[in-house]
Each structure stands twice: as C-alpha cells, then as structure tokens.
C-alpha cells in the first residue's frame, strides 16, 4: 500500500559530493573519540585529576565522598568525576562508529535519504550535547572550593600541575575537544539534510508549482494540444461498422487497394480506379496471385502481361 505522505518526501541529496566529504571528515574524529574515551575507561585518570584539583584548591576533595559513605550521609558524586560520564562517553563513541559504518553502506545502496539522515543526526546531536554538559558540569560538593567547570578545561596542563599528570590532563582536554568537533559535525549533517529536503521539495516535479506547469503543457485541452497537427489528419475518416468489418483508412490500406484496382469510399462503396472501367476476372485473379514485390517493382507489364 502506498502512503501518500511518505511518497511525497524527497529522497535525493542536493549535493552528494558534500555528503561524501562529511563521511570522510567524520571518520578520524570518531576514531579519536573511540580511542580517547576507551583509554580513559574505567578510571585511568579521572580520580587522579580530581585529587590534583583538590590539592590546589580548585575543586572538592574525593575523600569527602568516602567520609560521607562511612558516616551514612547522603552525597552525590560530582558529575564530571563520576563513573557515569566515563561509561556514557564510551557508549556514544561506539554508537557513533557503528552509525558511521551503517550510513555509509546505506548511502552506497541508495537507502539513506535526507529524512533518515535528519532523524539519525538529531539523536546524535542530543547525545553529544549531553556528553558536553556532563564533561563541563560543575562541582559544588565543597562550599569552600566550588568549581563551575573542571579545572583542566580552564587551566593549563603545565606547572603547577604535577608533571606525571600532564599527559592525562591533555587527554582530558583532547576528549572534550573531539566531543565539540563531533557535535559540530553532526549539526552540519542535520542542516545539510534539512537543506536537501527543502530544496529538493521545491524543485521536485510533484511540487504544486512545477506540477501546474507540467499540467498546462500535457493537458489535452490546452491550446498547444488543440492546435497540434497529427499524422494522417488529412486522410478521410473511415467509419467502422458494428461488426468491425471495415478497417480504418491508412496509407498502406490505400496502397493495397490501389494495387487491387479499387478504393473503398467512406460510406463503404467500392469504386474502380482503372481507366477502362475495370479488369476482367481472369486477369485480376492472375494479378492477385503474384507476390507483393512484383506489384511494386514491375511496371505496366504486371497488369497487361509480357509484351510480344
């Protein structure tokens, strides 16, 4: 069953080469995100950076969480230092790689229309926006050392940071930067998909403006169709009988009737085309038995017989 609303949705990309460029650009960022988030899982440097910020008074102390748990006090782990953020980043990076491979195959098979691209990348934009929010969340656990964002996003990885943590600090910065790049790239995907939907819809033959033009051209009652000259319009009309005995008059019918010695009138009457008023039955019978090429290639001798 054909759904009218789905059949009117454009399926063609305005600039396929631009989509291929986006695919190629997405691959290195996705691999980088998969590597950085995978290395950081489950807890390679998260707690170390948290403790380093506490040592310099830039954020809360991770030991406060242990003290709260020991004293059965309700407390929440600050979001940028929680295991949830690390696991969430790993999941979306794996999902991004899978979606990249899937949409590349679908595009090669011509099964990746702009509407599907818009839906997929809208979901990815939401996931990476949430990842950015989690990575840049605040740490207000310690009222004496509040932090609006993690310290490694606003401070340099050099001194006074411990030298052994320079690499981990740069990895955390790189993971955040890759997340921003993928978010921007997916937003570009979404804009390009909507652009293809709108532009293709405006230029589609099914659109009202274009359809009206084609209707005026192809309409049988249009002036151009009414004034058009058709082949064999100059020939007399032949009325077919109820039983279909008489065939329509065509140039070929006229030629064969001329060779036969008679032409059929529009009312069904037969008149002779011979100058002497007609041929005798024996000569007409002998001429009918000749092949068609004799009628065409031979001249007067076909009818009068060989000259002596």
């Amino acid at each position: 069953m054909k759904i009218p609303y789905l059949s009117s949705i454009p399926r063609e990309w305005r600039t396929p080469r631009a989509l291929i460029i986006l695919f190629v650009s997405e691959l290195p960022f996705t691999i980088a995100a998969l590597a950085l988030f995978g290395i950081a899982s489950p807890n390679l440097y998260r707690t170390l950076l948290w403790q380093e910020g506490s040592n310099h008074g830039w954020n809360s102390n991770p030991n406060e969480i242990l003290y709260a748990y020991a004293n059965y006090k309700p407390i929440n782990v600050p979001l940028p230092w929680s295991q949830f953020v690390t696991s969430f980043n790993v999941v979306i990076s794996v999902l991004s790689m899978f979606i990249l491979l899937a949409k590349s195959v679908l595009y090669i098979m011509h099964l990746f229309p702009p509407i599907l691209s818009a839906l997929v990348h809208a979901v990815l934009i939401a996931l990476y926006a949430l990842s950015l929010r989690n990575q840049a969340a605040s740490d207000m656990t310690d009222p004496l050392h509040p932090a609006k964002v993690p310290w490694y996003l606003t401070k340099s990885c050099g001194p006074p940071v411990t030298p052994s943590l320079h690499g981990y600090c740069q990895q955390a910065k790189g993971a955040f930067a890759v997340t921003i790049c993928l978010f921007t790239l997916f937003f570009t995907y979404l804009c390009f998909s909507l652009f293809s939907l709108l532009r293709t819809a405006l230029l589609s033959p099914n659109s009202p403006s274009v359809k009206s033009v084609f209707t005026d051209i192809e309409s049988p009652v249009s002036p151009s169709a009414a004034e058009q000259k058709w082949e064999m319009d100059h020939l007399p009309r032949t009325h077919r009988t109820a039983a279909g005995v008489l065939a329509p008059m065509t140039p070929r019918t006229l030629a064969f009737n001329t060779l036969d010695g008679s032409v059929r009138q529009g009312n069904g009457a037969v008149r002779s085309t011979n100058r002497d008023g007609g041929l005798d039955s024996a000569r007409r019978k002998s001429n009918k038995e000749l092949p068609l090429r004799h009628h065409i290639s031979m001249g007067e001798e076909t009818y009068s017989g060989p000259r002596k």
Side-chain angles (χ1 to χ4, degrees):
M1 183 177 64
K2 187 176 181 181
I3 303 177
Y5 295 102
L6 294 181
S7 61
S8 61
I9 297 177
R11 297 171 179 250
E12 300 295 332
W13 291 91
R14 285 288 298 162
T15 312
R17 183 176 298 179
L19 185 63
I20 296 175
I21 294 176
L22 289 176
F23 284 160
V24 175
S25 302
E26 181 184 354
L27 180 61
F29 291 108
T30 305
I31 294 176
L34 189 61
L36 291 173
F37 292 141
I39 291 173
S41 179
N43 188 10
L44 178 61
Y45 53 77
R46 185 180 67 250
T47 304
L48 294 177
L49 295 180
W50 188 5
Q51 184 64 50
E52 182 69 16
S54 175
N55 295 339
H56 295 281
W58 296 333
N59 51 246
S60 62
N61 194 322
N63 294 328
E64 294 180 3
I65 307 300
L66 299 178
Y67 297 152
Y69 287 159
N71 296 322
Y72 300 98
K73 292 182 179 180
I75 190 172
N76 294 324
V77 179
L79 195 56
W81 314 117
S82 64
Q83 179 64 36
F84 168 76
V85 174
T86 305
S87 301
F88 181 80
N89 291 336
V90 173
V91 171
I92 64 173
S93 62
V94 174
L95 180 63
S96 300
M97 177 61 71
F98 172 77
I99 291 178
L100 175 59
L101 297 177
K103 64 187 181 183
S104 301
V105 174
L106 291 176
Y107 177 76
I108 293 174
M109 300 174 63
H110 303 283
L111 297 176
F112 192 63
I115 182 64
L116 179 60
S117 174
L119 295 176
V120 170
H121 293 103
V123 174
L124 289 174
I125 287 174
L127 293 176
Y128 276 86
L130 183 58
S131 176
L132 289 174
R133 173 186 173 276
N134 294 338
Q135 294 182 56
S138 60
D139 178 8
M140 300 296 180
T141 305
D142 188 357
L144 299 178
H145 303 92
K148 294 183 179 180
V149 293
W151 64 267
Y152 57 82
L153 296 180
T154 58
K155 302 181 181 302
S156 173
C157 293
V161 179
T162 305
S164 60
L165 298 180
H166 287 177
Y168 294 150
C169 176
Q170 292 175 357
Q171 288 184 30
K173 285 179 177 288
F176 187 77
V178 169
T179 306
I180 294 177
C181 292
L182 285 174
F183 176 83
T184 305
L185 190 61
F186 293 144
F187 184 77
T188 306
Y189 268 112
L190 179 61
C191 294
F192 182 65
S193 302
L194 297 178
F195 172 75
S196 297
L197 283 174
L198 296 178
R199 294 283 297 183
T200 309
L202 292 176
L203 299 178
S204 174
N206 296 326
S207 61
S209 59
V210 179
K211 186 183 294 184
S212 62
V213 174
F214 282 102
T215 304
D216 294 340
I217 295 176
E218 299 178 359
S219 176
V221 296
S222 62
S224 58
E227 298 174 359
Q228 187 174 0
K229 298 296 183 181
W230 298 96
E231 186 180 2
M232 297 185 297
D233 277 349
H234 62 283
L235 296 178
R237 304 291 181 178
T238 302
H239 300 282
R240 184 181 294 274
T241 61
V245 177
L246 297 180
M249 179 67 70
T250 63
R252 181 172 294 182
T253 306
L254 181 61
F256 282 116
N257 289 340
T258 303
L259 292 175
D260 189 34
S262 61
V263 176
R264 194 178 302 276
Q265 299 285 354
N267 57 4
V270 179
R271 65 180 180 85
S272 176
T273 60
N274 297 324
R275 298 178 180 177
D276 55 355
L279 298 174
D280 57 286
S281 59
R283 182 179 298 175
R284 183 178 301 176
K285 182 177 180 181
S286 62
N287 289 336
K288 286 184 178 180
E289 294 176 354
L290 292 174
L292 180 60
R293 63 177 179 270
H294 290 279
H295 291 282
I296 297 176
S297 62
M298 296 184 179
E300 187 68 23
E301 62 181 6
T302 302
Y303 302 97
S304 60
R307 296 180 180 178
K308 296 182 181 180

